[in-house]
Amino acid sequence: MTASDDPVAKDASLRTAGSRVDDLIAVYASADACAADLLCDRHPEDGVAFTVVEADLSARDLSYGELRRESARFAAALAGLGVGPGDAVATLMGKSAELVVALLGIWRRGAVHVPLFTAFAPPAIALRLTAARVKVVVVDEDQRAKLMPGPDLPADRPWQTVVVGGTQEGAELSFDELLSRHSGDEPQSEAVALGPDGLLVKLFTSGTTGTPKAVPVPIRALASFHAYLEFGLDVRPDDVFWNAADPGWAYGLYYAVLGPLAAGIRSILLHSGFSAPLTWQVMERFEVTNFAAAPTVYRTLRTRSEQVPDGVRLRRASSAGEPLTPDVVSWSQQFLGVPVRDHYGQTEHGMMITNAWADGVRAPLRDGSMGKPLPGWSATVLRDDGDGPAAAGAMGRVAIRVAGSPLMWFTGYADAPDKTAERFTADGDWYLTGDAGTQDDDGFFYFSARDDDVIIMAGYRIGPFDVESVLAQHRSVAEVAVVGVPDELRGEVLEAFVVLRPEAAASAGPALAEELRQLVKRRFAAHAYPRAVHFVDRLPKTPSGKIQRFLLRERRIREVSAR
């Protein structure tokens, strides 16, 4: 009998885990909590924080000592640009050494980081820059065109632009030149201690209606991120850890950057776009032992199984972002040496229900289950008609018990009290995830559906309202609804149902459909365009006029299944 099967041993392990949670909370919720110290300065100078890998497999190690010195210089540069504690600084950057230096410089200064996903188009970028009242934007040279004056971005922008690489134009500043002006020893480069409630990040998450909501991430959230690395992913000091998620989104930012920095462990950072051959090469060359990615990555790797190098064998494999199908689990066991375990969480609180890997909390996998709450979290499935627990196996609302979750850090959206109120029960006892699911007699959770219409494609959350707002700008469009349709590779893909204006009805066809797809790519995000456009006479609606997207989704699921 193993420790995971022995009830006595498991109880002891859980008590130990609870003690570890208390220890982490004490560290990250201390009154003098300082982000730069917690994420960098307290670690050994010669310790490797990141191995940055290029597309040609060349690599460089970033030590904590180097990061301390370079981020201090950037913090001083930010001070020179008028950035103070609490001010917002955005990054529109790929995964690179410069990104890590910029982030640590922002946090050393006591400023707030606003992540911008590199696939975003100018309107999505402008919305976030304006809503967060950003003072400085750090941008890769190949992304700078998205910040040029135009319909969405005024010529008299209130933020300053710092360009990484290439040459500068007009009032733009050079990242390298700014660093060269400072030694890092100036008073303004000293780390600012904000305490546990000081903000690290303001990360925007999409919903079904309205503009994206800003999630404020405080310093004390690091306790949760650190705990997930230990309990959920089981990252150990001798692991070569690689989370392939993009830091423009929560899973990548929380667990490819913040978590590893907090824990002081070495992590791989691939300065390149995703491809299956390159992923296999990186795993082999750098002897990756602990890997995390979205299900779409595993599904794509599965289509290239013949490319698996002989030397690739993982100790741990984890997935997050959307439900994981059993066929991927069995494939992973065969080709990677371990089953990939499914984990569940949200931007608002990070990962909290998982098929955890760590000894003492690890349990045998159950098909279709997203696991159990991690140490430090308490969750249940509430009835749809009240705030009491649903019966075992009965579908209800997945919810987090606030008082029973010491690692819970989300208290509300920035400047959106109405949206915050929707997330909590009236008595404040429960945080409502917005997801529907079930829980069996043994406490395992099963994801059923989102009770909103958010689309999760390749691990990215896409609010249909964002895409619909762009499509509605087209002169031929009268009404539009966007839904997610199951897709074997990406989990879901976007499809649009479009009602044309009477005078444009004759233009329905492939040419207009492609024009609409390109409009979304230009005006919202390159990854979020509708893979199919259906021209329809009308959209299903409730008596009060609300579009019933679920009926469109169900119709398409039936049509796809019948093929």
Side-chain angles (χ1 to χ4, degrees):
M1 179 180 291
T2 65
S4 61
D5 298 322
D6 182 348
V8 175
K10 190 157 190 175
D11 284 346
S13 296
L14 290 175
R15 287 196 298 272
T16 301
S19 176
R20 178 58 177 154
V21 168
D22 292 340
D23 291 342
L24 291 172
I25 291 172
V27 170
Y28 296 104
S30 65
D32 58 350
C34 171
D37 179 63
L38 294 168
L39 297 171
C40 181
D41 299 355
R42 66 179 176 142
H43 301 311
E45 283 221 349
D46 58 353
V48 175
F50 293 96
T51 296
V52 182
V53 180
E54 302 295 334
D56 62 1
L57 297 184
S58 61
R60 62 170 290 204
D61 286 340
L62 278 175
S63 71
Y64 285 101
E66 180 181 358
L67 287 175
R68 182 187 61 76
R69 292 186 293 273
E70 294 301 296
S71 65
R73 294 165 70 186
F74 189 59
L78 288 175
L81 297 178
V83 173
D87 288 334
V89 179
T91 59
L92 182 58
M93 304 173 70
K95 295 170 279 190
S96 64
E98 289 83 1
L99 172 65
V100 181
V101 169
L103 294 182
L104 283 171
I106 292 167
W107 296 324
R108 187 176 296 278
R109 183 63 188 147
V112 181
H113 172 226
V114 179
L116 300 173
F117 184 40
T118 53
F120 279 151
I125 292 169
L127 182 152
R128 288 158 174 79
L129 295 179
T130 302
R133 296 182 286 277
V134 165
K135 296 191 74 169
V136 173
V137 182
V138 188
V139 59
D140 284 339
E141 193 275 336
D142 63 358
Q143 293 283 323
R144 66 193 296 184
K146 296 178 180 179
L147 298 176
M148 292 296 104
D152 308 293
L153 294 160
D156 57 343
R157 293 163 291 178
W159 55 81
Q160 300 178 76
T161 303
V162 177
V163 180
V164 179
T167 57
Q168 290 68 54
E169 298 179 3
E172 292 177 339
L173 302 167
S174 163
F175 184 80
D176 288 339
E177 288 183 9
L178 282 176
L179 291 185
S180 69
R181 297 176 192 171
H182 299 275
S183 66
D185 294 327
E186 304 99 319
Q188 62 266 39
S189 67
E190 294 178 0
V192 176
L194 298 175
D197 293 320
L199 292 190
L200 281 173
V201 177
K202 190 173 284 188
L203 180 57
F204 288 79
T205 185
S206 296
T208 57
T209 59
T211 57
K213 305 176 291 293
V215 175
V217 183
I219 291 174
R220 58 187 170 84
L222 293 173
S224 173
F225 303 159
H226 190 156
Y228 172 66
L229 255 68
E230 292 190 10
F231 298 125
L233 300 176
D234 190 32
V235 181
R236 300 179 182 178
D238 57 349
D239 268 327
V240 177
F241 174 61
W242 181 19
N243 179 348
D246 193 288
W249 296 88
Y251 195 68
L253 180 61
Y254 295 173
Y255 305 116
V257 178
L258 283 166
L261 286 173
I265 58 101
R266 174 197 179 206
S267 182
I268 298 289
L269 203 62
L270 179 60
H271 187 207
S272 178
F274 169 76
S275 75
L278 181 57
T279 300
W280 291 130
Q281 292 167 1
V282 172
M283 283 190 182
E284 180 184 35
R285 174 72 64 87
F286 297 93
E287 300 180 329
V288 174
T289 60
N290 196 319
F291 183 66
T296 189
V297 169
Y298 290 101
R299 288 193 288 264
T300 304
L301 292 177
R302 186 180 58 173
T303 66
R304 300 291 187 270
S305 295
E306 74 281 357
Q307 300 174 351
V308 182
D310 291 337
V312 172
R313 278 297 180 270
L314 298 177
R315 191 181 68 81
R316 300 289 186 250
S318 305
S319 172
E322 57 190 282
L324 193 65
T325 51
D327 55 314
V328 177
V329 178
S330 58
W331 168 85
S332 178
Q333 178 72 68
Q334 179 181 356
F335 287 93
L336 300 178
V338 292
V340 56
R341 287 182 164 242
D342 194 13
H343 298 174
Y344 167 83
Q346 295 183 324
T347 302
E348 289 86 345
H349 48 71
M351 311 310 293
M352 44 76 64
I353 298 176
T354 77
N355 289 290
W357 273 113
D359 294 342
V361 293
R362 186 169 62 252
L365 292 176
R366 299 192 180 189
D367 285 351
S369 174
M370 56 194 189
K372 293 184 174 184
L374 286 167
W377 295 94
S378 176
T380 196
V381 174
L382 297 177
R383 301 193 316 270
D384 287 330
D385 60 354
D387 293 340
M395 188 180 299
R397 300 168 294 158
V398 178
I400 301 170
R401 189 170 188 84
V402 176
S405 301
L407 289 178
M408 177 79 172
W409 49 266
F410 176 77
T411 57
Y413 301 108
D415 305 319
D418 292 344
K419 294 298 182 183
T420 297
E422 294 174 4
R423 282 299 194 189
F424 293 89
T425 56
D427 57 12
D429 286 351
W430 296 97
Y431 167 88
L432 305 174
T433 64
D435 291 329
T438 61
Q439 189 177 13
D440 65 21
D441 287 320
D442 297 320
F444 286 83
F445 284 74
Y446 298 80
F447 178 88
S448 298
R450 289 173 299 281
D451 43 292
D452 62 16
D453 296 310
V454 171
I455 300 160
I456 301 181
M457 186 183 72
Y460 299 127
R461 288 173 56 88
I462 302 167
F465 180 80
D466 294 322
V467 181
E468 290 165 358
S469 296
V470 172
L471 292 172
Q473 296 172 14
H474 194 281
R475 61 187 179 281
S476 298
V477 174
E479 286 189 302
V480 60
V482 171
V483 301
V485 176
D487 178 80
E488 183 177 355
L489 180 61
R490 301 176 184 87
E492 285 185 301
V493 293
L494 280 80
E495 295 194 4
F497 290 80
V498 176
V499 178
L500 295 176
R501 297 180 183 278
E503 64 272 19
S507 64
L512 180 56
E514 180 59 23
E515 189 175 332
L516 293 172
R517 281 192 286 268
Q518 293 300 321
L519 178 64
V520 174
K521 289 183 179 182
R522 292 195 310 272
R523 301 288 294 169
F524 177 53
H527 68 294
Y529 69 93
R531 266 54 178 184
V533 176
H534 308 279
F535 295 105
V536 295
D537 293 332
R538 60 184 178 274
L539 299 175
K541 296 179 181 178
T542 65
S544 63
K546 293 183 179 179
I547 295 174
Q548 296 174 303
R549 296 187 186 91
F550 74 95
L551 292 178
L552 297 171
R553 185 166 55 244
E554 290 174 356
R555 167 185 145 187
R556 286 296 293 139
I557 290 173
R558 289 194 299 270
E559 292 171 350
V560 170
S561 300
R563 290 176 184 171

